[in-house]
């Protein structure tokens, strides 16, 4: 198993959070994982992105130039990362903010996720990233869904846990549900 | 114990603390800021000292003072800041003060950039500061090693009374990987009866200095240091190898470059190419012996570095006269990390046809500098 | 008969390397007397700076670490943070403290680092042969100001005591001289006071001593003393610039 | 009565002591010492008050005073 | 013109002035003080600027500012002070600002001592500062060369827009020898249209910097620098040879060590030993070619340095695989200058019996470190 | 209708990299306005310091050289000594100027170097992500003072304008803010004045601008302005600390 | 009569201009700009006095004013 | 021709001056010469010394560990440098200050020169070093006497020339004369 993912969006869209979560869950499943955030001056200008790799063998470079999957939260990031996704790879994009026309590739599986809308449904636009992550998990089956609740718990500080854990879990579930729905439509 | 997902820089800080380092002196610089940030949180909790100095120069000299006082002390910085510490490092080596310096290096020269690079190899391994001295240099290639080698660095510093450098890079410092927070096996440490403590009930004064003006005095001191470095060479060589026994070609790389090469090496084996890998972990002392011994059977080496060719020279010096050494360099900067595939292509080209025995110099046709 | 003046205990018997009539010798003795006075020989740690003060360890019979040029305050900080219960001091020249070591002295003072610095201001780089220092007086001829220090080219002689006194972290700041007995007695008192401040945890203590360098001034020792009185003191007024009363710092 | 001892081999001939002695009883010796400096000696120890000013001003700590 | 008896340091100052350098920034340190002392006398007379900076760091950065402004500017110092300049030198190389740095080096590490040493070879030639860059390093061995090579250093600096170091030592700086104040032949210099002058009637801005953050930008910049260094290697190699044609053994030494070796070489010839000498004058670029070519006929090399073995590695890298390289080092300090006779003895011992082909490493029985 | 407010000519059209509401942008514009006011675009040379000010050359359409962190005053000295007839300026942050660059700023001021320094005091290391700076206020939480700046551990926030004003070499020293229009107008005047001083050869001119860093303070731009007013100005009083009337320096 | 133009793509949504406008005629736009910031617009240009306070306080030099 | 000389004494005894002069004269005669002073902290403590080498071939090390000649102005310097003089070399020592007993070698030619006394005779104790140099020149014939007047002129600044040149020349002459006298006695 080797799955490398680029996750990108505005600062504040939870991009680093879900990247971390993905790595955390991968680790819990016993995989080799790396999480590599963009940092420093790269952060100025309000964008954020990171690379996550989950692999059954030791990971080489933690920076992935042609990831298998892109999880993209806004249009600027789509411009930047769409071309790099591997042929036959996956794109999960936030269709609440990104118009369909912007996605110009047909050699990859493209999964539009109205993440902001679904997030609002769950209770807060804040958790859009978890929606899209849930969708990724279900669609690719890269990791087991069961790993995420625990990973989430690890990542949220004990103080905030009570308040945020249920919301985050709900978002993840919603994402998973949405993916299942999509799949069914597709099949 | 449980593995935790930890940032490389934090692993450095954890390794230091677990090794009993309670004194940190540093100055902000990307991409190593998580080290001071973590320690400024944690050290006060255990009665340690976190002090943000007015500059890198002040910081290394605080380490000199603290190390001379007999405790485990450290500083960390990145390339330009490490340049500023060179005078202090030379003083530490000259006056035999232990201490750990972490360089989470970035792209250079000058202000350069903040992405990963291995352009500081020479500075670390040959001559950053003035004079005949060496810094022991350890080059981790994972978060786990950042932790373990930082801890180990303190042992070496104490055993050899010498500054020890942990040479990472922006990728290693910034990435997260699972960390098992378990120390390497303990080493036997000599007593620090030379340390500053005040004369304590009238013992003879302890003096820590590097000035020797009498005829022959300094030379004697330097030969003493050289002898120590010979001991270091015998006792602290660290490296990792992969499938070198039957290798027709051996990749040589350290740190982040080695991680990438590990993937390429596997890809090559999958293609049926007999390719091995040697990863120097201690850069000084350089694992000459393993390179020399392989060169009895292996004739081709490919050095991969995130610079324009630095460790390359040490590889050339180490391998036997018959061996052919090629080079693949990507000297740093944003967007310049080589891909496993790119190195595989290089492996293929070198594996097949080879330069003539005399055609060994840098800059020949077998060097790609993308 | 009682021995009323003797070699201080914390000073070894080794003859000094200082030039004839150099005030470094006097200053060193006053520091040793302060150490003896408070019985600090076994609890104090010296930091040797780079200048004519560098051979400190040959004279003071205390633990000593050598700092790179200008960095004594940083090294002292490292020592003191490890040994907050020890007395840490350094003797720094004006090249060392007021030129290359400007950042270190200012920030050490500003942090209120609880150490003692004795500042030997002899308006020149003594050890390296008499170059212009930041404290060189206007018009003073040195090997690198052969036409006399000129403020347009080289700026003004810098007054360190005054500057350090403005920092919140400093506890005791004084300027003294040792050119004649009356001044020397005041210097003795100030240096002692500086060590007392440290003992009591008051924070950064600093004594600037106007000093002579007969060799590089190319003067007889006696004329050099006169120069301290006639040229230096008018520009660098003597006095206590700051004296913390209570350890508000604590 | 007071006594002053001067370590003539340690003396560097700066003559600060001569300058400050209120009794003006210190003078330059005729002979140089081993290091080539002109050390000082006391002409009339009887007159010494043991004030120790000479010792206080000696940069080379050559002088001891008893009183 | 008449020869005058001149101190090495003064010759440096004269060479700089005769080369048109009117801007000096420095900080006192033994054993190079006669350079600033001379220039503080002379520069004001010709409307130049002599400025004693607050530190070596300030001085190198003033040189950066002045060099960026399009004039010939220099600084000088000695070992510890040169360590402090490393960050600035890296910036100059990275932002391609010409300038000359003179290191009249002394004994190290740390405060060390003030006598001659060649312990700064690695710092000068490999990696003093951070990153992939090189400083052109010229190593005179006489007062005449201190003069001529300092002057030449300014040409190289301007031609390659790179810092150039003149690496002397305490002996060279302090001794007097006859000097004929005659410049080396002029070189063709490129226009300095990149220099800061204010935009002058609205030309596009000139920017001098080393920060490159866009993807691939910095790497491109570094390859450009590397290309420049390749040019430097072709165009600026300098060395002196003595009787190498028929030599069984060639001495390799630079600077003061070379002077001593010259006497030993003659003594050896007088004894009928076929001994030659190669003196690298440019240390970077290292005269690899001449060493390589001699190693087709000569099989034995004896490297003599006033350190514990630094240039030694470059010699080993340069000579062909068959050659045997021995080492004689006296690493500095008062009273540690080797005598011609001492080197002659070493020559004899090496000349007679020789190490086996594989026994090449440092520290073998053929290395004397007195 | 007349264009009464326009983009300054010496500022390029490039959008800045500064975070939303960062005062760096305002300060940069005021400097450009001063340059335009005296028509200095073709005669001035900027020195880029290392901090959020580093990209100066992307914005100012003038010749620029980049200095290592803290060394802008030294680089500027090198430039000015070559081009005494040009106007040389730098914009330095508080980490750059008041920490690593302490020696350089003090000695450049002391030499009376005829250059202009604009000092952006935002009580933190902005570019590197919000560490404690020498000007960080007591109690202020930063990434390296997670328990708030404590004077016992870290010393006191340093007041650079006051310190530099005590040096003989400084000609103009002022502290201003840009948190609201009234202060901004005074800042504009001071920055202009600083350039005038240089033009007239008066010596070293220095304007400290209290500035916000909403990103690293983790505040909205508006709240950050309030912090400048409520917390910074009380500790760092605004005003002109020194103003040389005649070029006695000449 | 006065006129104000705002470069909405350049605007970073700090809203200093809104704060200082004495006429309170500036408001946050509903749509984000390309960079994801909420830019400002003027509700009632008639009321604008052309005082230029908004422009003076804009850190990103987005505003031009005519009067 | 190869002649290396160590010259040593108190600071102020003119040690560096005559070393320089010797090198200057050697240069004028077309020889290779080096002059190497002790410097820096070595100077503290009031001693001064230098090495001069005059040679018909390129000079190797300018520091000479076993000089052919020692010119020694005081006892402390004698202690330090006497042992280093080459077998069959020369020692010229200032017998005005150094007792004969102090000179403990008989494998070299030892020439006592009452330099201070002769200097006083010429007019000033200041020129003792030139007396002993004159003696060295005449005794060893290492350089031609004729070279020195011009070399001296070069070394004394034009302003001081009028005042000091005659005195210095007289001292040199007196040294030469004294050596001739000694030689005659010897032969
Ligand atoms: C980094 C560095 N720069 C320069 C020197 C040379 N140096 C030795 S002592 C000294 C300064 C002497 O002057 P000062 O500090 O005033 O002390 P003084 O001898 O006058 O008491 C200098 C510049 C050095 N050792 N290290
Ligand atoms: C020698 C060196 N040390 C540290 C750094 C890292 N660094 C970059 S910017 C900066 C300081 C930023 O703070 P400040 O000067 O206050 O400017 P601001 O960004 O707050 O405007 C630092 C420490 C560096 N580039 N070089
Ligand atoms: S050089 Fe000056 S400061 Fe140094 S010992 Fe001699 S007189 Fe004193
Ligand atoms: S003061 Fe001391 S050193 Fe000076 S002359 Fe008197 S005894 Fe000698
Ligand atoms: S003790 Fe007083 S009176 Fe006696 S010699 Fe000394 S100075 Fe003179
Ligand atoms: S980090 Fe702070 S100082 Fe830097 S641009 Fe952002 S708000 Fe401004
Ligand atoms: S001040 Fe400028 S950047 Fe801020 S909201 Fe208004 S127009 Fe936009
Ligand atoms: S010019 Fe004045 S009134 Fe008009 S929008 Fe701007 S601030 Fe408001
Ligand atoms: Mg001094
Ligand atoms: Mg700041």
């Amino acid at each position: 198993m080797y799955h490398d993912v680029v996750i990108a969006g505005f600062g504040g869209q939870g991009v680093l959070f879900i990247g971390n979560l993905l790595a955390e869950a991968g680790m819990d499943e016993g995989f080799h994982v790396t999480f590599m955030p963009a940092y420093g001056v790269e952060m100025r200008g309000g964008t954020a992105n990171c690379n996550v790799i989950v692999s059954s063998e030791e990971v080489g470079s933690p920076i992935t130039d042609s990831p298998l999957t892109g999880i993209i939260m806004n249009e600027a990031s789509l411009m930047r990362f769409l071309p790099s996704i591997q042929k036959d790879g996956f794109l999960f994009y936030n269709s609440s903010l990104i118009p369909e026309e912007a996605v110009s590739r047909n050699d990859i599986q493209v999964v539009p996720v109205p993440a902001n809308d679904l997030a609002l449904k769950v209770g807060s636009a804040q958790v859009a990233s978890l929606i899209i992550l849930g969708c990724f998990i279900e669609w690719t089956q890269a990791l087991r869904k069961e790993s995420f609740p625990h990973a989430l718990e690890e990542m949220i500080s004990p103080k905030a846990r009570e308040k945020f854990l249920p919301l985050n879990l709900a978002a993840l579930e919603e994402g998973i549900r949405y993916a299942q729905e999509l799949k069914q439509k597709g099949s | 114990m449980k593995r935790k997902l930890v940032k490389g820089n934090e692993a450095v800080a954890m390794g230091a603390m677990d090794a009993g380092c309670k004194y940190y002196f540093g100055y902000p610089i990307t991409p190593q800021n998580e080290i001071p940030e973590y320690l400024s949180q944690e050290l006060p909790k255990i009665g340690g000292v976190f002090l943000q100095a007015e500059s890198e120069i002040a910081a290394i000299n605080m380490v000199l003072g603290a190390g001379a006082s007999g405790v485990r002390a450290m500083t960390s910085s990145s390339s330009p800041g490490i340049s500023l510490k060179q005078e202090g490092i030379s003083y530490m080596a000259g006056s035999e003060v232990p201490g750990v310096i972490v360089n989470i290096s970035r792209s250079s020269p000058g202000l350069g950039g903040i992405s990963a690079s291995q352009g500081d190899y020479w500075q670390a391994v040959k001559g950053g500061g003035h004079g005949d001295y060496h810094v022991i240099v350890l080059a981790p290639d994972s978060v786990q090693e950042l932790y373990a080698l930082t801890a180990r660095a303190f042992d070496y510093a104490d055993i050899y009374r010498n500054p020890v450098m942990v040479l990472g890079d922006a990728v290693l410092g910034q990435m997260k990987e699972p960390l098992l927070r378990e120390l390497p096996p303990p080493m036997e440490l000599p007593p620090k009866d030379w340390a500053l403590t005040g004369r304590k009930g009238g013992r003879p004064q302890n003096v820590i200095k590097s000035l020797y003006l009498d005829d022959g005095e300094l030379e004697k001191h330097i030969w003493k240091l050289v002898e120590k470095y010979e001991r270091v060479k015998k006792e602290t060589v660290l490296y990792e190898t992969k499938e070198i026994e039957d290798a027709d070609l051996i990749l040589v790389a350290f740190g982040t470059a080695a991680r990438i090469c590990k993937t390429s090496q596997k890809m090559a084996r999958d293609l049926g190419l007999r390719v091995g890998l040697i990863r120097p972990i201690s850069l000084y002392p350089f694992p000459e012996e393993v390179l020399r011994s392989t060169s009895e059977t292996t004739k081709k080496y490919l050095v991969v570095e995130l610079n324009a060719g630095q460790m390359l020279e040490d590889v050339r010096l180490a391998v036997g006269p018959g061996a052919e050494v090629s080079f693949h360099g990507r000297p740093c900067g944003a967007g310049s990390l080589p891909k496993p595939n790119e190195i595989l292509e290089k492996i293929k080209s070198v594996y097949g046809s080879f330069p003539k025995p005399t055609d060994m110099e840098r800059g020949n046709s077998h060097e790609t500098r993308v | 008969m009682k021995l009323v003046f003797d070699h201080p205990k914390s000073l070894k018997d080794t003859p000094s390397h200082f030039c004839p009539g150099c005030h470094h010798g006097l200053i060193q003795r006053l520091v040793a007397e302060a150490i003896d006075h408070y019985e600090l020989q076994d609890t104090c740690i010296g930091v040797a700076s780079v200048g004519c003060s560098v051979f400190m360890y040959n004279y003071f019979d205390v633990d000593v670490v050598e700092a790179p040029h200008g960095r004594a305050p940083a090294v002292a900080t490292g020592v003191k943070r490890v040994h907050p219960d020890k007395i840490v001091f350094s003797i720094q020249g004006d090249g060392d403290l007021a030129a290359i070591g400007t950042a270190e002295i200012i920030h050490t003072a500003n942090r209120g680092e609880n150490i003692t610095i004795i500042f030997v201001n002899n308006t020149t780089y003594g050890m390296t042969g008499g170059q212009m220092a930041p404290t060189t007086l206007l018009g003073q001829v040195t090997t690198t100001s052969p036409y006399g220090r000129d403020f347009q080219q080289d700026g003004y002689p810098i007054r360190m005591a005054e500057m350090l006194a403005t920092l919140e972290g400093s506890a005791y700041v004084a300027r003294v001289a040792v050119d004649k007995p009356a001044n020397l007695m005041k210097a003795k008192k100030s240096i002692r006071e500086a060590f007392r401040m440290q003992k009591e945890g008051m924070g950064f203590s600093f004594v600037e001593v106007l000093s002579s360098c007969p060799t590089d001034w190319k003067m007889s020792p006696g004329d050099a003393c006169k120069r301290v009185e006639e040229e230096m003191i008018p520009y660098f007024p003597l006095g206590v610039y700051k004296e913390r009363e209570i350890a508000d710092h604590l | 009565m007071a006594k002053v001892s001067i370590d003539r081999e340690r003396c560097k001939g700066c003559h600060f002591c001569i300058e400050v002695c209120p009794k003006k009883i210190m003078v330059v010796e005729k002979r140089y010492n081993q290091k080539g400096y002109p050390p000082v000696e006391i002409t009339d120890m009887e007159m010494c008050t043991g004030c120790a000013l000479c010792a206080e001003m000696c940069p080379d700590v050559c002088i001891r005073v008893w009183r």
Side-chain angles (χ1 to χ4, degrees), chain A, chain B, chain C, chain D:
Chain A
M1 201 279 260
Y2 181 91
H3 201 130
D4 48 356
V5 185
V6 63
I7 309 176
F10 283 138
Q13 280 186 311
V15 156
L16 300 186
F17 185 79
I18 62 166
N20 245 306
L21 181 60
L22 187 57
E24 190 85 37
M27 176 179 74
D28 285 355
E29 291 192 25
F31 287 115
H32 294 266
V33 296
T34 60
F35 164 80
M36 180 77 205
Y39 64 97
V41 276
E42 279 191 56
M43 283 164 59
R44 303 266 176 279
T47 63
N49 72 75
C50 64
N51 285 188
V52 177
I53 301 175
V54 181
S55 165
S56 43
E57 297 183 47
E58 240 183 295
V59 180
S61 172
I63 295 180
T64 163
D65 290 275
S66 47
L68 184 59
T69 293
I71 298 177
I72 305 294
M73 298 295 290
N74 70 352
E75 198 170 342
S77 300
L78 188 83
M79 298 296 145
R80 180 159 169 207
F81 293 104
L82 181 61
S84 68
I85 298 173
Q86 263 173 51
K87 192 163 166 305
D88 301 326
F90 305 89
L91 168 69
F92 300 83
Y93 74 94
N94 182 357
S95 58
S96 304
L97 296 181
I98 305 172
E100 207 187 319
E101 318 83 71
V103 185
S104 52
R105 285 184 60 173
N106 46 26
D107 57 343
I108 56 177
Q109 290 185 43
V110 175
V111 184
V113 186
N116 286 38
D117 302 307
L118 294 174
L120 281 173
K121 222 178 83 185
V122 171
S124 158
Q126 297 270 30
V127 292
S129 59
L130 282 143
I131 301 274
I132 206 166
L133 182 70
C135 199
F136 160 81
I137 299 165
E138 176 62 27
W139 191 275
T140 64
Q141 301 283 331
L143 293 173
R144 286 183 285 117
K145 320 189 236 276
E146 298 73 37
S147 311
F148 285 83
H150 175 249
L152 250 177
E153 214 168 305
E154 280 290 300
M155 282 191 51
I156 305 179
S157 73
K159 266 188 284 177
R161 217 168 275 165
E162 202 175 336
K163 194 166 154 208
F164 290 113
L165 191 56
L167 179 65
N168 282 330
L169 282 172
L172 214 51
E173 284 300 336
E174 176 63 18
I176 292 169
R177 193 203 52 72
Y178 180 77
Q180 286 165 340
E181 199 180 295
L182 270 190
K183 270 189 183 168
Q184 268 157 7
K185 272 195 215 153
S187 64
Chain B
M1 216 178 312
K2 240 187 61 180
R3 296 195 308 166
K4 281 196 63 173
L5 196 64
V6 163
K7 211 173 214 194
N9 283 331
E10 285 167 357
V12 166
M14 290 171 178
M17 284 187 69
D18 291 354
C21 169
K22 287 168 58 175
Y23 296 87
Y24 176 91
F25 306 92
Y27 186 83
I29 187 167
T30 309
Q32 61 81 57
N33 287 319
E34 293 83 2
I35 300 174
E37 285 165 11
Y38 183 92
L39 292 172
S40 68
Q41 278 275 356
E42 299 303 321
L43 282 178
K45 294 182 188 164
I46 59 160
V49 171
F50 169 85
L51 181 54
Q52 185 174 308
E54 59 271 27
S55 69
E56 289 88 352
I57 293 182
I60 188 72
N61 284 297
M62 290 171 185
V63 171
L64 194 164
S69 300
V71 300
R72 293 191 154 186
M74 76 175 293
T75 185
S76 62
S77 188
S78 181
S79 310
I82 298 290
S83 287
L84 289 171
K85 291 182 196 287
Q86 293 304 329
E87 189 206 23
I89 293 173
S90 173
Y91 270 77
M92 287 176 70
S95 44
E96 299 193 85
V97 173
V100 171
I101 300 115
V102 178
N103 180 3
I104 302 298
S105 69
R106 57 191 232 181
S107 313
S108 306
L111 194 48
I114 56 172
S115 22
S117 150
Q118 300 182 321
D120 299 353
Y121 177 90
W122 271 333
Q123 185 194 55
V125 169
K126 306 285 168 190
H130 54 292
D132 273 305
Y133 72 92
H134 282 284
V135 171
I136 300 174
V137 183
L138 305 178
D141 86 335
S142 67
V143 169
Q144 187 65 42
E145 270 194 3
L146 279 167
Y147 171 83
L149 291 178
T150 301
R152 183 56 90 216
F154 285 96
D155 296 331
Y156 287 163
D158 284 348
I159 291 172
Y160 302 105
R161 286 186 62 184
N162 206 69
V164 178
M165 179 176 284
V166 176
L167 181 62
D169 60 46
V171 164
L172 290 164
Q174 290 298 321
M175 77 171 162
K176 283 189 177 182
E177 282 189 319
L179 169 70
L180 189 63
R181 202 164 164 175
E182 223 169 59
L183 283 178
M187 300 184 78
E188 205 180 314
L189 303 174
K192 294 191 172 179
D193 47 12
W194 45 264
L196 304 172
T197 58
R199 296 191 330 158
K200 271 187 184 164
R203 68 149 166 72
Q205 70 174 164
N206 279 341
V207 175
I208 293 178
K209 64 163 183 132
S210 61
L211 179 65
Y212 295 95
L213 287 175
D214 289 350
D215 268 12
E217 215 191 358
L218 182 58
E219 189 176 15
K220 217 176 109 194
H221 173 64
I222 293 177
W223 286 132
K224 199 189 86 186
L225 293 181
V226 169
E227 252 171 55
K228 179 168 84 176
Y229 298 133
E230 295 298 335
R231 242 180 82 212
V232 164
K233 279 185 178 181
K234 285 207 190 72
E235 299 170 356
T236 69
V237 170
L238 296 172
Y239 57 87
E240 179 189 1
T241 63
K242 286 206 185 280
E243 303 180 271
I244 55 174
E245 296 73 15
D246 67 338
D248 291 331
L249 181 150
I250 291 178
L251 288 165
V252 191
F254 70 97
T256 292
R259 286 189 67 119
I260 306 171
C261 283
K262 282 176 181 173
T263 308
S264 314
Q265 187 261 338
K266 240 178 282 161
M267 293 161 93
R269 282 277 169 182
D270 289 348
L271 293 179
L273 303 179
R274 284 197 301 274
V275 172
L277 178 139
I278 296 177
R279 173 170 73 93
I281 297 174
S282 60
L283 301 183
Y284 183 88
F286 192 71
E288 302 169 2
E289 205 30 56
V290 62
L291 277 156
R292 186 164 18 254
S293 70
T294 55
S295 68
E296 282 163 26
T297 50
T298 302
K299 288 288 157 276
K300 299 176 184 185
Y301 293 81
L302 174 58
V303 178
V304 179
E305 297 181 78
L306 308 184
N307 61 37
Q310 299 192 8
M311 181 176 71
L312 175 59
E313 289 192 358
D314 284 327
V315 174
R316 287 196 166 141
L317 281 167
V319 297
E324 301 298 343
V325 182
S326 297
F327 178 66
H328 186 75
R330 292 296 303 267
C332 77
S336 297
L337 218 53
K339 292 165 220 147
N341 241 318
E342 167 187 333
I343 295 167
L344 181 64
E345 286 311 310
K346 178 73 183 185
I347 291 173
K348 285 194 223 157
S349 89
V350 170
Y351 196 91
S353 79
F354 237 78
K356 280 162 268 101
T358 54
D359 186 19
M360 274 174 60
E361 71 274 35
R362 288 178 55 208
N364 70 20
S365 59
H366 279 267
E367 311 209 348
T368 28
R369 289 170 174 155
V370 183
Chain C
M1 270 196 305
K2 234 183 64 198
L3 191 58
V4 293
F5 190 97
D6 196 8
H7 200 100
K9 213 172 109 264
S10 54
L11 214 55
K12 301 188 214 172
D13 217 30
T14 329
S16 86
H17 72 291
F18 300 123
C19 307
C22 173
H23 286 176
H24 262 290
L26 286 171
I27 296 164
Q28 198 165 270
R29 201 196 73 224
L30 296 185
V31 171
E33 287 177 1
I35 291 172
D36 286 3
H37 179 82
Y38 291 115
E39 299 185 342
L40 301 173
Q41 189 178 357
D42 290 356
T43 49
C44 91
I45 298 173
V47 179
S49 72
V50 179
C52 285
S53 50
V54 72
F55 301 108
M56 177 196 265
Y57 38 79
N58 290 340
Y59 310 129
F60 287 97
D61 193 8
V62 305
D63 281 5
V64 174
V65 56
E66 187 181 82
H69 186 38
R71 319 303 175 193
V75 172
T77 297
V79 174
K80 186 75 181 191
R81 294 282 172 136
V82 172
H83 294 307
D85 54 327
K86 297 287 187 297
I87 299 299
V88 180
F89 74 101
S90 183
I91 303 176
Q92 296 186 260
D94 43 354
D96 196 73
L97 182 141
I100 193 170
T102 307
E104 283 78 8
I105 195 67
I106 285 185
H107 285 278
T108 302
N110 191 56
R111 278 193 308 269
E113 215 63 61
N114 191 27
I115 62 168
T116 300
I117 299 285
I118 308 299
F119 171 40
V120 180
N121 176 358
N122 58 11
T123 71
T124 194
Y125 288 75
M127 169 157 271
T128 45
Q131 291 80 9
M132 186 181 67
T135 52
T136 292
L137 294 174
L138 290 183
Q140 184 179 336
V141 170
T142 70
T143 59
T144 53
S145 59
Y147 306 109
R149 181 180 187 149
D150 168 17
F151 63 85
Q152 277 195 57
Q153 166 73 19
D154 309 318
Y156 296 84
I158 203 162
R159 296 188 182 96
M160 291 306 295
E162 284 83 337
M163 190 152 81
L164 294 176
T166 66
L167 295 172
E168 306 258 2
S170 57
Y172 183 78
V173 178
R175 184 183 288 118
V176 298
V178 292
D179 59 320
K180 51 185 181 194
N183 283 340
L184 180 118
M185 292 305 167
K186 281 187 214 147
K188 187 181 280 207
K189 204 172 139 238
S190 267
I191 290 175
R192 201 183 271 181
E193 192 62 8
F195 278 87
R196 186 184 68 76
M197 287 274 175
Q198 182 178 170
K199 250 171 58 80
E200 297 182 3
M202 293 283 201
F204 182 78
S205 56
F206 179 87
V207 181
E208 173 171 344
V209 190
L210 301 184
S211 183
S212 74
C213 176
T215 299
D216 291 324
W217 294 358
K218 301 186 191 355
M219 282 181 176
S220 75
D223 288 350
C225 282
K226 262 184 225 110
R227 178 174 184 264
V228 171
E229 181 177 357
E230 290 167 9
E231 296 182 30
M232 288 178 71
I233 294 180
Y235 188 87
F236 297 114
L238 304 185
V240 176
Y241 286 85
K242 183 155 180 191
E243 185 155 23
R244 185 169 278 151
E245 304 274 310
I246 46 159
D248 54 1
H249 194 74
L250 295 178
Chain D
M1 242 286 283
K3 204 187 111 190
V4 165
S5 89
I6 302 168
D7 185 339
R8 76 180 294 280
E9 285 309 324
R10 205 181 167 105
C11 173
K12 291 187 186 141
C14 69
H15 304 158
F16 287 174
C17 49
I18 300 183
E19 190 72 23
V20 299
C21 172
K23 295 296 167 189
K24 296 292 165 213
I25 53 179
M26 302 185 93
V27 294
V28 185
E29 255 193 64
K30 291 277 156 320
R31 294 168 312 140
Y32 284 57
N33 65 12
Q34 292 271 23
K35 287 212 194 94
Y37 296 121
V40 290
E41 60 186 352
I42 297 206
T43 49
D44 186 354
M45 186 61 81
E46 294 297 294
M47 285 182 64
C48 172
T49 61
C51 70
L53 281 183
C54 53
E56 285 285 1
M57 282 304 287
C58 175
D60 287 276
V61 213
C62 314
I63 304 179
R64 278 184 171 75
V65 181
W66 288 263
R67 194 171 54 212

